[in-house]
Amino acid sequence: EALAAFERARDSDSMVRLYLDKLNEPQKAFQLVRETPDMPGAERIAEYCRKNGNICGAVEFLLLAKNHEEAYTMAERHDEMETFEQGIGEKGTRDQHMTIAKYYEQRNLLTNAAKHYSLAEEYPMALKLYLKVGEKEIDRAIEVVGKARNDALTHTLIDYLMGDSDNLPKDPNFVYRLHKALGNYMQAAGTALIIAKKDQEEGNYKQAHALLFRTYQDLKRQKLALPQELWRRLMILHSYVIVKRLVKAGDHATAAQMLLRVAKNIHQFPVHIVPILTSVVIECQRAKMTTEAYQYSCMLMRPEYRPQVSEQYKKKIENIVRKPCADAEGAAHDTQSACMYCGGNMDDAQLDCTMCKNISPFCIVTGMRMLRDDWTYCPSCNFPAKRSAFTAALQTSDQCTMCEERIKPGDLPMVTDPSALIADYKSLFQTIEPL
C-alpha cells in the first residue's frame, strides 16, 4: 500500500528507500532510477551498493547523482574505470576525458588513452598513441586526423603510412581511407586506382570492381569530375563481370561484345589472359562472329599462350585457325544507333563518339550504350540501364549487377525524357580520345 501511495505521489526517492530497506528488491530500485533519474534516489542506491561491495553499481549511481568527482575517485581506486567511461559516454567534459586518458596511459592501455585524448580534442597525443599501438589502430588514427584537420598531423600520419618512420609501407587502403576522411576525394580516387590495379592484376576482379564503384559514387555525390581511367577501368571490369549472366540468359551476341571489349584491354587481366581469350573465341563462335573468333584463335596459338589453352578447347581452336571462314548468315554484326549527344551513328557497343568526343553511359545489365528511348536506372545506386533489359534480368535475379542491392521490377523508375540525366553525364565525363 505504501509503495502504491508513493507511486501515485510520484515520490521516487521514497519508493527507492522502500525497495532497498523494506522489500529487499534492489534491482527494482536500480531500474526505477535508471528510467526516471532521481538524484536523491541515485545517492541512496550508490550508498547501498558501496555498503554491499558493488563498486560497479556505486560508480554508476554516483554518476546519475551528478557526483562525478567521487565516482571517478572510486573508479580509480577500485579499477572500475570502464564503468565510469560508460556512465559519461562521449558527453563528458574535456577535463573528465583528460583525466581518464591519463589514467589509461599510466597503465599502458594506449588505445583507451588515445580514445579519450581524442574526445578531449588533444589530437596530437591521440594520434601519437594510436601510432604507437601500430597497424591495428590505423583506422582510429585516420579518424583522429579527419577530425583534427591539421596539416602537421596529416603529414605525420602520411609519413607513417608511407613507411618513412619504420621503413615498412602500410596497406594503400589506409591512404585511401585517410583521403576520404579528410574529404580529399580526388586524391582518394587516385589511391583507389592504384589499389584496384593491383587487385585486378592479382585476379581479384570483384574486389577491384567494388572499390571503383564506391569511388565513382563518392565523386558523383561530391559533383567532382570523374578521372577517365577510373571510369574506364570500372566499365571494363563491369563488362567482364556481367558476361556470366549474359551467357546464362542465352544472349551470346552481347556476351561476345563484352568479351571483345575486355580482350582489347587484356593487359588489365594478366593472370587470366588465356581463359578470357578462350571465352572470347567460344562466345564469338556462338554468336556466329567468325572473323573475331578467328582473330583471337590465332592469338591463342602463339607460343606464349598455346601451352596454357585447355585441352577441352585446344582442338576446336586449332581447327578455327586452320579453316578460317567468313561470317555466317545471321551473324551478330554490330548494330548502330544515334549518339545521345550529337545524333551521329555509332555501333551500339561503342561508348566514345568519334564525332563529338563525348562518352555515353553504359547499361549496367547489357554493357551496351544507353539509348534515349529505353531508359531506367537502379533505384539504389542510380546507375543507368535499358528498361527492357533490366526488367527481363529481374525475372531471373533480383540483384542489381552494379551495386548488388535487391530490386523489385516495380521499383524501376519510368524515365520518359532522360535529357536531364544525359546532361549530368556529360558534365561528369571529360572529353577524351576514343578507345
Side-chain angles (χ1 to χ4, degrees):
E1 289 180 14
L3 184 63
F6 290 145
E7 192 169 1
R8 282 195 299 273
R10 295 183 182 177
D11 186 352
S12 56
D13 185 34
S14 296
M15 290 174 70
V16 167
R17 180 170 47 80
L18 204 59
Y19 279 132
L20 295 177
D21 300 341
K22 303 293 182 185
L23 300 176
N24 194 27
E25 294 183 299
Q27 290 304 322
K28 288 187 177 180
F30 295 178
Q31 194 62 28
L32 176 64
V33 172
R34 284 174 183 141
E35 291 174 356
T36 55
D38 173 72
M39 288 178 65
E43 286 276 11
R44 192 181 296 279
I45 293 175
E47 182 60 29
Y48 173 89
C49 289
R50 184 174 14 227
K51 284 180 180 177
N52 286 276
N54 180 358
I55 303 302
C56 179
V59 171
E60 177 190 352
F61 286 100
L62 281 171
L63 285 170
L64 287 174
K66 308 296 182 190
N67 194 342
H68 293 163
E69 194 172 325
E70 190 178 343
Y72 176 81
T73 302
M74 186 173 288
E76 182 181 33
R77 189 182 302 135
H78 296 279
D79 280 331
E80 282 290 349
M81 196 55 67
E82 190 176 339
T83 305
F84 185 83
E85 271 190 276
Q86 289 170 354
I88 66 167
E90 296 189 2
K91 295 177 182 176
T93 64
R94 181 182 184 280
D95 286 344
Q96 285 174 334
H97 287 300
M98 285 294 291
T99 305
I100 297 171
K102 287 171 183 173
Y103 168 89
Y104 281 127
E105 190 179 3
Q106 285 166 5
R107 287 157 178 77
N108 206 35
L109 298 169
L110 302 186
T111 296
N112 300 39
K115 172 188 171 183
H116 287 279
Y117 277 125
S118 178
L119 289 168
E121 298 185 359
E122 282 291 329
Y123 298 126
M125 197 64 189
L127 178 62
K128 178 184 175 182
L129 294 185
Y130 277 137
L131 295 185
K132 197 171 179 181
V133 173
E135 203 158 327
K136 68 177 183 179
E137 293 300 342
I138 290 179
D139 279 328
R140 290 186 181 178
I142 289 169
E143 189 180 317
V144 165
V145 171
K147 285 180 184 174
R149 300 298 170 113
N150 176 290
D151 287 346
L153 295 186
T154 301
H155 290 308
T156 297
L157 182 52
I158 287 175
D159 288 347
Y160 175 83
L161 295 176
M162 294 302 179
D164 291 355
S165 55
D166 56 7
N167 293 318
L168 294 170
K170 310 303 179 291
D171 186 334
N173 275 289
F174 291 127
V175 179
Y176 168 72
R177 287 176 212 160
L178 173 60
H179 285 309
K180 280 192 70 172
L182 293 169
N184 298 334
Y185 291 98
M186 292 306 289
Q187 290 93 326
T191 307
L193 262 173
I194 294 167
I195 298 166
K197 280 181 190 176
K198 185 173 182 291
D199 284 340
Q200 203 171 338
E201 284 166 4
E202 293 172 354
N204 301 321
Y205 308 126
K206 194 168 183 180
Q207 207 167 296
H209 182 278
L211 176 59
L212 294 176
F213 164 70
R214 287 198 306 272
T215 306
Y216 174 99
Q217 295 292 75
D218 288 338
L219 293 175
K220 204 163 188 299
R221 271 193 296 271
Q222 300 299 319
K223 298 183 178 177
L224 295 170
L226 193 68
Q228 290 308 315
E229 188 181 358
L230 187 148
W231 181 82
R232 287 199 183 284
R233 279 193 174 266
L234 177 59
M235 176 267 292
I236 292 161
L237 271 170
H238 193 72
S239 301
Y240 180 68
V241 300
I242 62 174
V243 166
K244 192 177 284 186
R245 294 191 191 206
L246 292 168
V247 172
K248 192 175 178 181
D251 189 354
H252 299 293
T254 307
Q257 291 287 3
M258 292 305 102
L259 284 166
L260 286 170
R261 183 183 286 167
V262 170
K264 289 172 186 173
N265 297 274
I266 198 65
H267 61 280
Q268 293 185 21
F269 302 81
V271 297
H272 292 113
I273 290 176
V274 171
I276 289 173
L277 294 182
T278 302
S279 296
V280 173
V281 172
I282 293 164
E283 286 306 305
C284 284
Q285 278 286 93
R286 286 172 173 170
K288 301 181 181 178
M289 298 166 66
T290 53
T291 302
E292 291 82 356
Y294 173 74
Q295 177 188 345
Y296 287 100
S297 293
C298 290
M299 190 180 290
L300 283 168
M301 289 299 102
R302 290 177 186 171
E304 65 267 34
Y305 298 143
R306 186 168 186 158
Q308 302 171 50
V309 176
S310 167
E311 291 299 324
Q312 183 182 354
Y313 300 110
K314 187 174 280 187
K315 193 166 185 181
K316 184 175 184 177
I317 291 168
E318 287 172 348
N319 286 336
I320 292 171
V321 173
R322 287 195 197 101
K323 301 173 184 176
C325 56
D327 285 346
E329 190 177 335
H333 291 292
D334 291 341
T335 55
Q336 293 197 331
S337 54
C339 167
M340 63 179 67
Y341 300 107
C342 70
N345 269 353
M346 54 197 277
D347 293 341
D348 285 343
Q350 186 180 337
L351 304 177
D352 300 83
C353 180
T354 54
M355 288 173 275
C356 68
K357 307 297 181 186
N358 282 306
I359 309 170
S360 295
F362 60 88
C363 165
I364 56 174
V365 177
T366 65
M368 305 294 266
R369 192 173 78 258
M370 286 295 295
L371 302 175
R372 278 181 173 271
D373 58 359
D374 189 10
W375 199 295
T376 190
Y377 53 87
C378 169
S380 177
C381 66
N382 294 319
F383 263 80
K386 292 181 178 179
R387 185 177 180 82
S388 56
F390 211 160
T391 303
L394 289 175
Q395 303 306 309
T396 54
S397 171
D398 63 355
Q399 279 189 313
C400 168
T401 57
M402 181 61 74
C403 67
E404 297 189 340
E405 290 295 321
R406 299 196 179 281
I407 310 294
K408 295 176 182 175
D411 294 337
L412 294 181
M414 178 74 72
V415 181
T416 51
D417 182 8
S419 298
L421 296 170
I422 292 170
D424 283 345
Y425 282 107
K426 187 171 185 177
S427 65
L428 183 66
F429 296 138
Q430 301 164 355
T431 302
I432 60 164
E433 75 287 350
L435 277 172

